[in-house]
Amino acid sequence: DNDEKYVFCNADEGEPGTFKDRVILTEKPEMVIEGMIIAGYAVGAKEGIIYLRHEYKYMEAYLEAILQEHRDKGYLGEEACGLKGFNYDIRIQFGAGSYVCGEESALLESAEGKRGEPRPRPPFPVEAGYRGCPTIVNNVETLCAVVNILLNGHQWYLAQGTEASRGTKVLSISGDCQYPGVYELEWGFSVNDILEITGARNTQAVQMGGPSGSLIGKDQFDHIICYADLATGGSLIIFNETRDLIRDVVLNFTDFFIDESCGSCVPCRTVPTLMRQRLVRLLEGKGTKIDIRQLEEWTKIMPMNRCGLGHTAANPIHSLLKNFRHLLEERINKELDFEPELDEAMAVKEFCDYVNREPNLKPVL
């Protein structure tokens, strides 16, 4: 309960390879706005805010015109939709280009004019969100789904998809295929189905869910896209046999996460950079099996970060280790057999003596 409540549409579409929200906002903005009006009425909000990534600034005049049409028709403003006591309007607010602001609490921090970094939780936004008031944050696709469900009925929606994953999923599909674009498909298609639909040939790998997702190989193309099997946030990037997966894909995505880290959490700030150094060493033919083992150990540290970006910042390398390990092992310099000879106890002895502590070292390898 609160006199002030807010509805946010998260249109901060910053995941590389994801462009479905841009297309929806361009082709069906009325559906997004209608979904926000329904949400506002459902929770008793007075204001809805479309948080739009700054790279979509060119949409501003177009979306403002659509919003004004809704005001002129009485769908927004005083007694919106002719409902007594429902005074509700929607405005647009732009992000400043930070990927981490796609996380809901970082989005709210940014919307309040603060540095865009995740908040500690609890409290959650539904309890204390924008300006400390109850706030719901939903993405573009979800708000559109609300409209379709109310128009067609919940049984229509439940009849689509699989037992565990009802309804449809909007996918941004790009890369080495004949027909890239935005597709709305029922949950339950296999990756092979999508490769056939999009005219992909000689596919080596598919990046599921953008850089924060997983890179899968041919042995997983028969998996079903659904929450119970192979989940995706809405992006598939297809890579054929001409691609160097380590250099063209994994190193590129790792650079992206290094650049986009807000720097708040130590593992997110430092570990991806250390992992990149090991990856480059392997690419240059200077790496050993020790480098691969260190990469494996460092991926385990990332869940200590407090937001989704930090949790998934090592995913490109983790997926490489899991699904394409042979590509790394092929690059090991067989003539090198380096084992670290650092005596960790001696290295920290002076510090431990100074603070009167016993070394508490655990072997990493």
Side-chain angles (χ1 to χ4, degrees), residues 246 250-251 275-283 328:
I246 300 178
V250 176
L251 191 62
M275 297 181 80
R276 186 190 189 281
Q277 291 170 356
R278 291 290 187 271
L279 203 59
V280 169
R281 188 152 72 185
L282 285 159
L283 282 170
L328 289 171

Side-chain angles (χ1 to χ4, degrees), residues 40-41 44-46 77-88:
Y41 178 70
K46 295 179 180 178
E78 295 293 318
E79 297 192 350
C81 301
L83 297 168
K84 189 174 181 180
F86 182 45
N87 305 318
Y88 180 78

Side-chain angles (χ1 to χ4, degrees), residues 209-340:
S212 63
S214 58
L215 186 67
I216 64 170
K218 295 178 182 179
D219 60 332
Q220 294 177 275
F221 288 176
D222 59 345
H223 282 225
I224 302 301
I225 298 177
C226 63
Y227 293 118
D229 191 357
L230 194 61
T232 174
S235 165
L236 278 80
I237 310 174
I238 300 166
F239 302 106
N240 65 22
E241 297 286 357
T242 67
R243 305 288 183 175
D244 181 337
L245 293 184
I246 300 178
R247 193 180 301 276
D248 298 342
V249 181
V250 176
L251 191 62
N252 185 17
F253 288 163
T254 300
D255 285 339
F256 170 78
F257 282 120
I258 291 170
D259 289 341
E260 290 293 340
S261 172
C262 75
S264 177
C265 304
V266 174
C268 184
R269 187 170 68 239
T270 59
V271 171
T273 301
L274 294 172
M275 297 181 80
R276 186 190 189 281
Q277 291 170 356
R278 291 290 187 271
L279 203 59
V280 169
R281 188 152 72 185
L282 285 159
L283 282 170
E284 293 175 346
K286 301 174 184 177
T288 69
K289 58 186 178 182
I290 300 298
D291 294 304
I292 295 178
R293 293 215 299 268
Q294 285 182 328
L295 288 174
E296 287 179 315
E297 289 299 324
W298 287 338
T299 61
K300 299 174 185 177
I301 300 173
M302 302 309 286
M304 296 171 64
N305 295 298
R306 67 180 181 179
C307 87
L309 185 152
H311 295 162
T312 60
N315 275 13
I317 294 176
H318 178 68
S319 294
L320 185 69
L321 289 163
K322 181 180 177 183
N323 300 323
F324 297 92
R325 189 186 185 92
H326 64 280
L327 296 178
L328 289 171
E329 291 177 342
E330 288 168 3
R331 295 176 183 266
I332 290 175
N333 190 323
K334 303 297 192 299
E335 297 179 3
L336 295 176
D337 191 22
F338 172 76
E339 292 282 352

Side-chain angles (χ1 to χ4, degrees), residues 10 13 15 17-21 24 138-146 148-149 156-162 164-173 181-191 194 197-198 207-210 212 224-228 230-236:
N10 183 350
E13 187 176 48
E15 189 88 30
T18 305
F19 44 88
K20 61 185 178 67
D21 291 351
I24 293 172
N138 280 287
N139 61 39
V140 171
E141 186 180 347
T142 300
L143 292 163
C144 289
V146 168
N148 276 328
I149 290 168
W156 164 84
Y157 190 80
L158 293 175
Q160 301 179 84
T162 69
S165 305
R166 304 288 192 176
T168 64
K169 181 63 187 169
V170 181
L171 300 171
S172 308
I173 303 178
V182 175
Y183 292 76
E184 183 176 13
L185 302 172
E186 291 186 47
W187 290 105
F189 275 75
S190 71
V191 177
I194 289 175
I197 291 168
T198 57
Q207 182 72 36
M208 302 292 300
S212 63
I224 302 301
I225 298 177
C226 63
Y227 293 118
L230 194 61
T232 174
S235 165
L236 278 80

